[in-house]
């Protein structure tokens, strides 16, 4: 028996960036634990970290390139695969135009150092307008707000959780998600610490684990946060509570001029629609303003709703009007060791629009809610082929069933993924990268969003096998064939990039970054130093950064009231120009600590036990429809219906149903062996691709009108 070896790295599965300690004996992982000495996560992990071992060992994980021939998968060599894929892409684009090729980038790309640093060139080589990503089923509103206000789409301030004494949370459940646009490991303890200093208050249509831990929880009717936030701003102005503090001098125009925008939205007026009483709304604001270091934070529950962008703007405005931006304990900007903002576009919107529905691009990407129609609607620019890079849009984007049908008819589909999922099952080629433990890791993006500045780097635990490829190698190989180097100089520089790899780029980026030694290789934070610091380097608590931290040329915060508040017309027509609230149920999502979007469901330890894909319903609603706990119910929307078991709980607001996303693994042709028993249904067979946040094009995944019926009388189902 060989000696046990310890390996330290950051778990890349979610945004929390937990440090883990992996013990390897005889080439096998014998344990994965939280790294107690990690500079950021202090020993915290969740059950998913251990699934890194399952993922590495999973016999179902694809390890060789594959081509589908007459409906059967066959393996091929990398060179053969690259040649064939590129030939097919080129003939498709030659025949139908460049835009006939669509690209979808899924969430794991941002958790992958090599993909993040090296995917740009292949995307440019593909030269298509039809680029989509998980951004438009997620954080697009945050990018637009930061781009408009602070001048850079990635300049997103995060709650200073370690210093706030009053944490007001709208639409986030960090106890399940482990934090989002707030990279924070060990969030439970950190929230408990906030409570010791003051209060945690949660606004959510469901009494989640986070709400249970909080001092107060208020139900809100899904999709009506915008009204609550407008009323909160109304109270700020009406009760003379505006105090912009240190933020005041950074505005491009006086925010007091906005007062009259909110006069119409008194708490009394919005209360019946939102389900939150006027007294609660008023007290929430007064309480916030009487705390020493309060912060208002809104996340996914607020972003993916009909007024997601306006709501995120109002959240930012509220923080600014109470002096809580760039202030200790408030919303703070980070200072990451790799300054990826300097390397990326600041943002752009509406330079072109989607062909069929005319939805605006943001940062060169179109809203994914428009993907299916771009495939199915004939005409110039119609998408005829797709490349999926680490994504599963059939399960993760609205009206997934329609997209599934659209994918079937494509002339070409290529997936870069190590599983055959519900989307890549339609592929002609699958190019599988190595799994996370076989590559190096440095969190380029989530350090931009972390509650403490820190830097950690880990080499691959297992070197990649000779016949395996990293994501970045796959991307560069495609690019080299699509766009061969023009001369010797370019050939050499590409070879140099390949041999340097992500580590080479990181060496440069760290040196150029705010803690690096610049031209002096012996000074400052370097990759070498990180290699010698397996538990990472703490770079300190977040510090005020204005005005230098602003990206507008005038170094001012642009209020941009016109751009955002023009959407009030839509708010008024939705909520006030009709006969009140519709009768239907409203659907929301939910996350569980043992799931990760639509994948990791092949890890037995993460799916064992009772199925988690249930419809959570308030017992009063269930009673009215004669639904008992465990009964099969049918939930239907404009676009489709699903049948699943009901789970009754008063943690749900009445009139609201919750179904988790990422399930629905029952489709044939996939490789989810373990999940088969827990296939579940896809909630995105209910979400509606036509129901979007019109200001951004972001999908509406929360507050979807649905009907609910009992199926207990249906013998086919009860049998
Ligand atoms: N109804 C509803 N829908 C939602 C949400 C919701 O709350 N409700 N949430 C939305 C959100 S926030 C997101 S981010 C999206 C996520 O949606 P997607 O990004 O489309 O889907 P994932 O489930 O993350 O799919 C990840 C795929 O990437 C593969 N993968 C994992 N790691 C790697 C890697 O390193 N390289 C490669 N090449 N492949 C890899 C996995 O095998 C898997 O097939 O879902 C969205 N959909
Ligand atoms: N375990 C686990 N962790 C994850 C993921 C995962 O799938 N599983 N996914 C990762 C990803 S990609 C992301 S983006 C993050 C997301 O992380 P979070 O932003 O924390 O998202 P959720 O946990 O979905 O919490 C959203 C909350 O919003 C509530 N909500 C729904 N509709 C409304 C509404 O209209 N108004 C209000 N106020 N609240 C509403 C829901 O009930 C839910 O409690 O999580 C990440 N972490
Ligand atoms: S919380 Fe996220 S980063 Fe931490 S161990 Fe779990 S999945 Fe990994
Ligand atoms: Mo996400």
């Amino acid at each position: 028996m060989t000696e046990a070896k310890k390996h330290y790295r950051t778990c890349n599965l979610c945004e929390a960036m937990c440090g883990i300690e992996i013990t390897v004996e005889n080439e096998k992982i014998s344990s994965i634990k939280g790294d107690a000495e990690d500079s950021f996560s202090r020993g915290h992990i969740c059950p998913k970290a251990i699934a890194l071992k399952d993922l590495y060992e999973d016999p179902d994980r694809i390890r060789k390139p594959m081509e589908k021939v007459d409906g059967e998968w066959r393996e091929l060599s990398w060179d053969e695969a690259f040649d064939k894929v590129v030939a097919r892409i080129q003939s498709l684009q030659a025949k139908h135009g460049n835009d006939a090729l669509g690209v979808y980038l899924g969430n794991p790309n941002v958790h992958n150092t090599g993909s993040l640093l090296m995917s740009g060139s292949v995307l440019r080589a593909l030269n298509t307008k039809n680029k989509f990503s998980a951004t438009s089923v997620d954080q697009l509103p945050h990018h637009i707000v930061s781009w408009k206000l602070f001048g850079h789409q990635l300049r997103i301030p995060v709650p200073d959780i370690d210093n706030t004494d009053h944490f007001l949370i709208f639409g986030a459940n960090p106890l399940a998600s482990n934090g989002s646009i707030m990279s924070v490991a060990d969030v439970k303890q950190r929230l408990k610490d906030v409570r010791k200093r003051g209060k945690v208050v949660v606004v959510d249509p469901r009494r989640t684990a986070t709400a249970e831990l909080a001092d107060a929880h208020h139900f809100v009717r899904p999709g009506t946060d915008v009204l609550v936030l407008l009323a909160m701003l109304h109270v700020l102005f009406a009760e003379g509570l505006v105090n912009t503090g240190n933020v005041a001098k950074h505005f491009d125009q006086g925010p007091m001029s906005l007062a009259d925008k909110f006069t119409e939205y008194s708490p009394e007026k919005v209360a019946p629609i939102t389900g939150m009483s006027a007294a609660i709304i008023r007290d929430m604001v007064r309480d916030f303003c009487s705390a020493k270091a309060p912060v208002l934070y809104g996340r996914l529950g607020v972003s993916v709703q009909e007024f997601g962008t306006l709501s995120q703007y109002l959240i930012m405005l509220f923080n600014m009007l109470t002096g809580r931006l760039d202030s200790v304990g408030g919303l703070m900007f980070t200072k990451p060791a790799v300054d990826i903002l300097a390397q990326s576009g600041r943002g752009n919107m509406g330079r072109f629009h989607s062909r069929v529905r005319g939805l605006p691009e943001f940062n060169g990407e179109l809203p994914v809610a428009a993907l299916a129609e771009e495939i199915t609607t004939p005409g110039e620019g119609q998408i005829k082929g797709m490349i999926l890079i680490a994504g599963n849009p059939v399960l993760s984007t609205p009206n997934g069933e329609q997209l599934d049908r659209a994918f079937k008819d494509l002339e070409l589909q290529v997936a870069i993924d190590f599983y055959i999922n519900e989307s890549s099952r339609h592929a002609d080629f699958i190019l599988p990268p190595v799994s996370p433990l076989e590559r190096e890791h440095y969190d380029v993006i989530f350090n931009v969003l972390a509650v403490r500045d820190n830097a950690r780097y880990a080499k691959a635990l297992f070197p990649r096998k000779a016949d395996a490829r990293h994501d970045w190698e796959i991307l560069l190989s495609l690019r080299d064939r699509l766009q061969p180097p023009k001369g010797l100089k370019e050939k050499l520089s590409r070879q140099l990039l390949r041999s340097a790899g992500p580590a080479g780029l990181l060496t440069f980026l760290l040196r150029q970054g705010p803690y690096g030694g610049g031209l002096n290789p012996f000074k400052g934070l370097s990759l070498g130093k990180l290699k010698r610091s397996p538990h990472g380097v703490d770079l300190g608590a977040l510090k005020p950064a204005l005005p230098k931290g602003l990206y507008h040329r005038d170094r001012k915060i642009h209020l941009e009231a016109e751009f955002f508040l023009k959407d009030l017309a839509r708010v008024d027509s939705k909520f006030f120009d009709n006969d009140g609230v519709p009768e239907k149920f409203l659907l929301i999502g939910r996350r569980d600590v043992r799931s990760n979007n639509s994948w990791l469901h092949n890890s037995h330890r993460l799916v064992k036990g009772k199925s988690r894909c249930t419809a959570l319903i308030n017992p009063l609603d269930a009673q009215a429809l004669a639904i008992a706990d465990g009964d099969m119910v049918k939930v239907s929307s404009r676009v489709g219906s699903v049948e699943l078991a009901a789970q009754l709980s008063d943690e749900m607001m009445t009139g609201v149903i919750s179904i988790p996303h990422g399930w629905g693994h029952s489709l044939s042709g996939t490789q989810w062996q373990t999940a088969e028993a827990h296939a579940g249904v896809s909630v995105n067979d209910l979400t509606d691709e036509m129901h979007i946040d019109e200001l951004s094009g972001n999908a509406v995944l929360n507050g979807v009108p649905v009907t609910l019926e009992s199926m207990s009388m249906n013998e086919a189902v009860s049998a």
Side-chain angles (χ1 to χ4, degrees):
M1 189 164 149
T2 55
E3 205 188 326
K5 272 195 248 151
K6 305 263 185 223
H7 169 86
Y8 297 92
R9 68 190 291 113
T10 319
C11 171
N12 73 314
L13 292 174
C14 86
E15 301 180 35
M17 301 194 290
C18 298
I20 51 178
E21 179 190 278
I22 307 181
T23 308
V24 180
E25 289 170 272
N26 297 324
E27 309 287 304
K28 286 233 166 251
I29 297 171
S30 57
S31 82
I32 299 185
K33 290 190 202 144
D35 174 9
E37 288 177 61
D38 185 89
S39 58
F40 184 68
S41 61
R42 319 183 295 203
H44 174 267
I45 50 165
C46 85
K48 290 187 294 299
I50 302 154
L52 284 169
K53 168 181 158 73
D54 303 343
L55 187 58
Y56 175 64
E57 293 170 357
D58 190 348
D60 294 335
R61 183 163 59 78
I62 304 168
R63 289 164 170 83
K64 300 259 166 61
M66 300 209 296
E67 179 183 13
K68 205 190 276 149
V69 182
D70 299 328
E72 297 289 325
W73 288 110
R74 72 166 191 99
E75 285 179 5
L76 63 178
S77 74
W78 281 104
D79 274 333
E80 204 189 343
F82 291 139
D83 287 343
K84 282 192 166 185
V85 165
V86 169
R88 291 278 299 273
I89 290 173
Q90 285 173 329
S91 85
L92 185 108
Q93 288 189 315
K95 193 162 138 204
H96 305 289
N98 283 347
D99 296 336
L101 188 79
V103 182
Y104 175 82
L105 293 147
N107 166 281
N109 283 297
V110 286
H111 296 269
N112 183 323
T113 317
S115 305
L116 258 175
L117 295 176
M118 300 198 176
S119 61
S121 64
V122 72
L123 294 175
R124 280 189 296 276
L126 291 170
N127 191 21
T128 170
K129 279 185 183 158
N130 281 313
K131 251 180 2 205
F132 305 83
S133 83
T135 292
S136 51
V137 279
D138 188 349
Q139 81 287 359
L140 179 55
H142 297 261
H143 293 310
I144 295 178
V145 169
S146 285
W147 165 61
K148 282 281 185 191
L149 270 61
F150 313 130
H152 198 303
Q153 53 164 332
L154 290 174
R155 197 60 171 147
I156 307 177
V158 298
D160 185 11
I161 189 171
D162 289 338
N163 292 301
T164 183
D165 64 349
H166 187 104
F167 199 5
L168 177 52
I169 302 175
F170 273 61
N173 184 13
L175 255 62
S177 69
N178 284 295
S180 183
I181 310 214
M182 171 178 71
S183 283
V184 52
D186 199 11
V187 70
K188 189 172 184 179
Q189 186 55 48
R190 282 172 143 121
L191 286 174
K192 285 183 182 165
D193 293 343
V194 177
R195 292 194 59 202
K196 281 187 208 140
R197 295 190 294 272
K199 256 188 192 178
V200 176
V201 180
V202 171
V203 176
D204 197 304
R206 179 175 153 233
R207 197 175 61 250
T208 59
T210 307
E212 290 280 4
L213 180 145
D215 296 86
H217 163 238
H218 308 296
F219 282 130
V220 64
R221 200 171 157 74
T224 67
D225 299 76
V226 66
L227 294 178
V228 176
L229 292 161
L230 286 165
M232 286 168 65
L233 283 153
H234 171 102
V235 175
L236 267 193
F237 282 106
E239 299 193 7
L241 293 169
V242 173
N243 176 1
T244 47
N246 286 336
V247 194
K249 54 182 178 291
H250 303 301
F251 288 119
D252 67 336
Q253 62 182 100
M256 292 310 282
S257 61
L258 297 182
D260 63 339
K261 301 282 184 203
F262 307 108
T263 13
E264 288 300 307
Y265 305 98
S266 68
E268 289 70 19
K269 183 171 172 187
V270 305
I273 308 175
T274 62
M276 272 175 86
S277 75
I280 286 177
I281 297 176
R282 284 186 189 277
D283 283 350
M284 214 159 63
V285 178
R286 291 170 189 154
D287 232 25
F288 186 97
C289 293
S290 64
K292 269 207 208 95
V295 67
L296 170 59
Y297 162 69
R299 203 26 208 121
L300 193 84
V302 181
S303 304
V304 286
Q305 51 169 278
E306 200 170 338
F307 298 98
T309 307
L310 178 56
S311 297
Q312 290 297 353
Y313 174 71
L314 297 174
I315 287 172
M316 197 61 75
L317 200 57
F318 189 90
N319 278 306
M320 295 194 302
L321 292 178
T322 49
R324 302 310 303 144
L325 179 74
D326 200 44
S327 180
V328 172
L331 277 187
M332 301 279 283
F333 295 106
T334 62
K335 191 173 162 188
V338 167
D339 185 6
I340 201 67
L341 274 72
Q343 312 294 325
S344 36
R346 294 180 180 193
N348 253 306
M349 194 173 182
R351 286 167 304 175
F352 57 93
H353 291 78
S354 69
R355 181 180 59 105
V356 179
R357 217 189 308 173
L359 300 182
E361 60 81 36
F362 182 80
N363 194 37
E365 288 177 10
L366 291 166
V368 72
L371 175 53
E373 70 205 23
E374 292 298 330
I375 299 175
T376 55
T377 313
E380 209 186 313
Q382 181 183 8
I383 298 178
K384 300 274 190 177
M386 280 298 299
I387 302 191
L388 304 175
I389 310 179
N392 192 1
V394 166
L395 292 195
S396 52
T397 70
N399 201 351
E401 205 178 348
Q402 182 191 36
L403 193 60
D404 183 54
R405 270 182 270 125
F407 278 174
K408 245 179 254 169
D409 295 333
L410 288 171
E411 286 177 24
L412 172 68
Q413 198 201 70
V414 181
I416 303 180
D417 202 306
F418 40 58
Y419 282 113
I420 304 179
N421 64 29
E422 292 65 28
S423 310
S424 62
R425 72 190 178 120
H426 299 300
D428 303 288
F429 296 92
I430 296 192
L431 307 175
V434 299
S435 74
L437 297 181
E438 296 161 273
R439 61 187 192 225
E440 64 204 304
H441 188 65
Y442 179 96
D443 240 302
V444 175
I445 284 291
F446 296 104
N447 277 311
V448 176
L449 305 169
V451 299
R452 272 189 88 81
D453 289 318
N454 76 96
R456 288 165 293 166
Y457 171 82
K459 286 194 196 164
L461 166 58
F462 302 110
R464 77 142 169 75
K465 303 211 167 45
D467 61 349
R469 294 291 178 273
H470 292 290
D471 278 279
W472 64 268
E473 291 176 309
I474 298 173
L475 296 169
L476 291 188
S477 295
L478 293 176
R479 186 261 176 130
D480 284 345
R481 282 165 173 81
L482 283 163
Q483 231 172 32
K486 286 210 187 78
L488 187 64
K489 210 169 135 205
E490 199 181 342
K491 193 171 172 188
L492 288 176
S493 78
R494 287 197 195 180
Q495 270 167 6
L496 196 67
L497 178 70
R498 251 184 205 266
S499 52
L505 289 177
L506 285 171
T507 302
F508 169 79
L509 291 169
L510 284 165
R511 199 171 283 168
Q512 295 303 310
Y515 309 89
L519 294 177
N520 183 344
F522 303 106
K523 250 185 73 193
L525 187 69
S526 63
L527 194 66
K529 173 150 192 216
L530 292 186
K531 284 182 182 167
R532 294 188 296 275
S533 316
H535 311 290
V537 174
D538 182 40
L539 300 167
L542 306 182
K543 293 167 202 69
L546 297 188
K548 260 178 79 182
L550 295 169
Y551 282 73
H552 287 306
R553 222 174 253 162
D554 59 6
R555 298 271 173 214
K556 292 283 181 199
I557 298 170
H558 293 189
L559 262 190
E560 290 283 356
E562 203 177 310
F563 176 85
F564 292 99
L565 297 184
K566 68 172 185 273
D567 215 21
L568 288 175
R570 205 163 57 94
V571 171
D572 293 342
S573 95
K574 159 103 185 175
F575 294 111
F576 302 117
D577 301 347
N578 58 34
D579 305 329
V581 184
E583 285 292 282
K584 288 187 172 172
F585 282 95
L586 292 176
L587 174 71
I588 63 168
R590 89 179 172 263
R591 281 177 160 74
D592 182 277
V593 80
R594 287 191 294 140
S595 276
N596 197 23
N597 296 320
S598 78
W599 66 295
L600 289 183
H601 288 157
N602 220 34
S603 161
H604 178 67
R605 72 181 96 223
L606 295 184
V607 290
K608 68 183 178 198
K610 271 168 86 179
S611 168
R612 304 194 294 270
C613 188
T614 58
L616 267 179
I617 304 169
N618 183 288
L620 293 174
D621 289 331
Q623 197 181 14
L625 293 166
I627 295 167
D629 194 52
D631 278 0
M632 291 298 285
V633 291
K634 182 171 177 175
V635 184
S636 311
S637 72
R638 182 189 78 86
V639 306
S641 62
V642 297
E643 293 167 14
L644 74 174
Q647 188 183 341
L648 309 193
S649 169
D650 69 1
E651 73 193 44
M652 293 307 299
M653 188 180 192
T654 53
V656 184
I657 302 174
S658 162
I659 302 178
H661 75 287
W663 297 94
H665 299 303
S666 51
L667 304 167
S668 66
T670 61
Q671 264 194 17
W672 302 104
Q673 314 279 339
T674 308
E676 211 43 47
H678 293 284
V681 296
S682 176
V683 70
N684 285 319
D685 290 346
L686 296 173
T687 54
D688 186 338
E689 85 286 5
M690 298 306 284
H691 190 188
I692 56 168
D693 168 15
E694 284 172 22
L695 197 52
S696 59
N698 209 33
V700 174
L701 307 173
N702 286 317
V704 177
V706 290
T707 54
L708 173 66
E709 58 193 293
S710 165
M711 299 202 60
S712 54
M713 306 303 285
N714 183 334
E715 278 178 11
V717 170
S718 57

